[in-house]
Amino acid sequence: MPTPEGGPGRSELADDLRRHLVALLLCQRRWLADLAETCPDDGPGNPAFADALRRWQEQLAQLRLHLHRADHRLLHLAMAPGPRDGGEPPAPEPGPDWRPRIERWADRLHLPTAYRRLGHVLDPDAEAVTADITTDLAALALLAWECADSCDRLLRVADPGRLEAGAFWRVVAPWRTRGLGALGDVQRWLAEVLDDEGEW
């Protein structure tokens, strides 16, 4: 039913959010499948690391785009009049620990994983700290795993109020609080490593 202002109703806005959650779900699963194939639990993994990093660069850029789109559609749904479900949905199933397999792959390739990170780029007095890319990649992979599981569950939710609450608590908020910083660091690291390799 249309809103009094003549815009789309909550059911149409919920359908729009679902479409963007589907796109985000596919991006997360695509990157996780690539990560699992590149850094397997057994075997040497993919030695063509520049090709893998270039794929990850593209996949993570798509993930960021679809996350922002889902966030924007969630805002539209939240601003529309209608009943709300303020309850926090159940937590997703715990995901696997990706760090050991990423570390083994990087070690086999003798790929340096330490890099310098600035906490606040607008603070001229901020000092860079040493970080490890395997930690950031593992944190992103775990978050993508959990949020993909949540997206999959949310796509079966018919009620717009429950969809809104679930999308906020189990997809958008975790990416905002735990993921966007690590995602930015990983994207910068990927770009600089590929630039050093002369891969455009």
Side-chain angles (χ1 to χ4, degrees), residues 15 23 34 38 42 57 62 75 86 93 121 167 176 182 199-200:
D15 288 343
D34 194 328
T38 303
D42 53 358
Q57 190 177 39
Q62 290 175 342
L75 178 61
E93 295 296 320
V121 296
R176 278 188 188 172
E199 295 286 347
W200 284 78

Side-chain angles (χ1 to χ4, degrees), residues 44 66 88 99 175 179 184 196:
H66 289 298
E88 189 172 339
R99 186 175 173 136
W175 271 108
D196 283 348

Side-chain angles (χ1 to χ4, degrees), residues 49-51 53-54 57 111 189-200:
F49 75 92
D51 290 342
L53 299 187
R54 199 165 36 253
Q57 190 177 39
L111 189 62
W189 182 85
L190 290 169
E192 292 199 22
V193 170
L194 289 171
D195 189 47
D196 283 348
E197 289 295 310
E199 295 286 347
W200 284 78

Side-chain angles (χ1 to χ4, degrees), residues 1 7-8 19 22 28 41 45 50 55 64 72 83 88 118 124 141 148 153 157-158 162-163 171 175 179 183 195:
M1 182 167 135
R19 283 190 288 275
V22 167
Q28 291 172 127
D41 271 334
R55 286 193 312 272
R64 181 186 285 273
H72 193 66
E88 189 172 339
L118 271 179
R153 293 178 190 202
V157 170
R162 287 184 56 221
L163 176 67
V171 180
W175 271 108
L183 181 56
D195 189 47

Side-chain angles (χ1 to χ4, degrees), residues 85-169:
D85 179 353
E88 189 172 339
E93 295 296 320
D97 183 4
W98 291 84
R99 186 175 173 136
R101 63 197 301 169
I102 296 170
E103 282 180 339
R104 281 193 301 271
W105 179 71
D107 287 346
R108 288 186 196 112
L109 294 171
H110 307 290
L111 189 62
T113 60
Y115 70 98
R116 301 291 283 168
R117 174 196 296 154
L118 271 179
H120 302 283
V121 296
L122 297 180
D123 181 0
D125 298 323
E127 292 191 20
V129 296
T130 302
D132 185 75
I133 197 63
T134 59
T135 302
D136 293 335
L137 282 167
L140 278 185
L142 178 60
L143 184 58
W145 179 282
E146 292 172 354
C147 289
D149 181 61
S150 295
C151 283
D152 191 42
R153 293 178 190 202
L154 284 170
L155 293 174
R156 295 189 288 272
V157 170
D159 177 59
R162 287 184 56 221
L163 176 67
E164 178 188 335
F168 174 76
W169 287 109

